[in-house]
Amino acid sequence: MDMKQLEAAADFVRERWPEARVDMAVVCGSGWSSVLDAVEVVDRISYAEIPGLGAPGVVGHTGTLCHVRHAGRDVLVFQGRRHFYEGEGWTPVAVPVFLCLKFGVKELLLTNSAGAIHPDFAPGDLMILTDHINQMGDNPLVGPHHPVFGPRFPDQSTVYAPEAVARLRAAAKQADVRVQEGVYLATRGPVYETPAEVRACRLLGADAVGMSTVPEAMLASAAGIRTGGLSCMTNYAAGILDQPLTHDEVTTTASAAMPRMTALLLAWISGFGFE
Ligand code: HPA
């Protein structure tokens, strides 16, 4: 992580939005950005303009940072994310979390699309992350220690804060959206898994598999931000059905689940508060 770039990103956004007072944030993974159709967008900044962030190279990831207002809350919405597999290191992945820190965000929700592994899960299901397994072979905290991201050896017992999980459950109930709960396993990508790898993921204890979220969750939780995670199952993980996986399938299934994803996100924003 290049701390100078992270600081430059924060200075840039703060200069553009000197008045913004946000205490919550959402990172929208594949298919999750539609929430923006239902809220007031106060202003937008293209990722391409933000030092260290840059435009995402993935279809379905727009790359716009939005200052959003909904139900009396001011929210940072990261429409699209940078992935480690894009090959530009950890800085673009870390910028959103660092911006959250600098804006004083108290609660961050990380969303993604994932392949369903748990036998009771099906495409279209939404899952609250209760824990994760890092199979990326790397993590953003490797390297010099930066105390802004917590201690040298951050505890990982509750990366997804129990309060964040509880808030997501409550939001799902309020929005009348059925949700699963489970463990998300992150690979480095960009390849999907082989059927044998999916069987191995299941043996390891994973309920869903994807290529993101874990790095941001590590950084944010280590930095003391209450962190929650939500996955949309966009496909059965490889080998469960006798058919290949495509990114088209991922985006099509996410579009079909969009009304439920939006309802859940809006309920989550409306219910924000520290008890
Ligand atoms: N594997 C990895 N990443 C994914 C998948 C998957 O099956 N679906 C959506 N993102």
Side-chain angles (χ1 to χ4, degrees), residues 2-254:
D2 181 337
M3 292 306 286
K4 283 208 176 75
Q5 291 272 358
L6 296 186
E7 293 287 359
D11 290 347
F12 178 84
V13 177
R14 183 45 89 193
E15 218 162 274
R16 286 280 292 267
W17 295 343
E19 307 295 334
R21 298 280 170 274
V22 287
D23 42 20
M24 61 197 313
V26 187
V27 174
C28 296
S30 301
W32 284 91
S33 294
S34 57
V35 66
L36 289 163
D37 300 339
V39 293
E40 177 196 346
V41 178
V42 180
D43 201 9
R44 302 168 199 262
I45 304 176
S46 162
Y47 284 6
E49 293 181 65
I50 302 176
L53 187 53
V58 186
V59 177
H61 287 265
T62 327
T64 314
L65 171 57
C66 299
H67 174 197
V68 158
R69 195 161 290 149
H70 180 71
R73 309 278 180 217
D74 281 57
V75 192
L76 282 183
V77 178
F78 295 87
Q79 195 180 12
R81 66 150 56 79
R82 304 299 315 274
H83 296 80
F84 189 53
Y85 62 69
E86 291 176 65
E88 290 170 39
W90 287 117
T91 303
V93 179
V95 164
V97 178
F98 194 73
L99 291 177
C100 288
L101 259 176
K102 289 292 164 165
F103 270 84
V105 162
K106 303 276 183 304
E107 185 165 293
L108 169 64
L109 178 59
L110 301 165
T111 65
N112 61 48
S113 65
I117 296 181
H118 190 290
D120 295 342
F121 290 5
D125 282 0
L126 305 181
M127 179 185 92
I128 299 172
L129 275 64
T130 52
D131 205 346
H132 73 218
I133 300 172
N134 180 18
Q135 285 288 302
M136 290 185 143
D138 203 347
N139 80 68
L141 290 167
V142 171
H145 177 225
H146 304 294
V148 70
F149 289 115
R152 175 72 282 196
F153 303 108
D155 176 49
Q156 298 280 278
S157 311
T158 50
V159 172
Y160 304 91
E163 300 84 356
V165 170
R167 278 233 317 117
L168 285 166
R169 280 186 196 131
K173 197 164 171 213
Q174 203 215 322
D176 199 19
V177 170
R178 197 175 72 100
V179 282
Q180 310 277 14
E181 294 187 13
V183 174
Y184 173 90
L185 182 147
T187 72
R188 193 178 182 111
V191 286
Y192 290 118
E193 303 67 43
T194 66
E197 285 165 344
V198 169
R199 288 193 296 276
C201 292
R202 184 68 194 137
L203 285 175
L204 287 177
D207 300 305
V209 59
M211 306 172 192
S212 69
T213 303
V214 162
E216 296 104 308
M218 275 181 183
L219 289 171
S221 65
I225 298 174
R226 189 160 93 174
T227 305
L230 271 182
S231 293
C232 175
M233 301 302 129
T234 48
N235 53 281
Y236 286 108
I240 296 177
L241 299 182
D242 191 16
Q243 64 183 48
L245 303 188
T246 64
H247 188 56
D248 273 356
E249 179 187 3
V250 169
T251 46
T252 307
T253 311

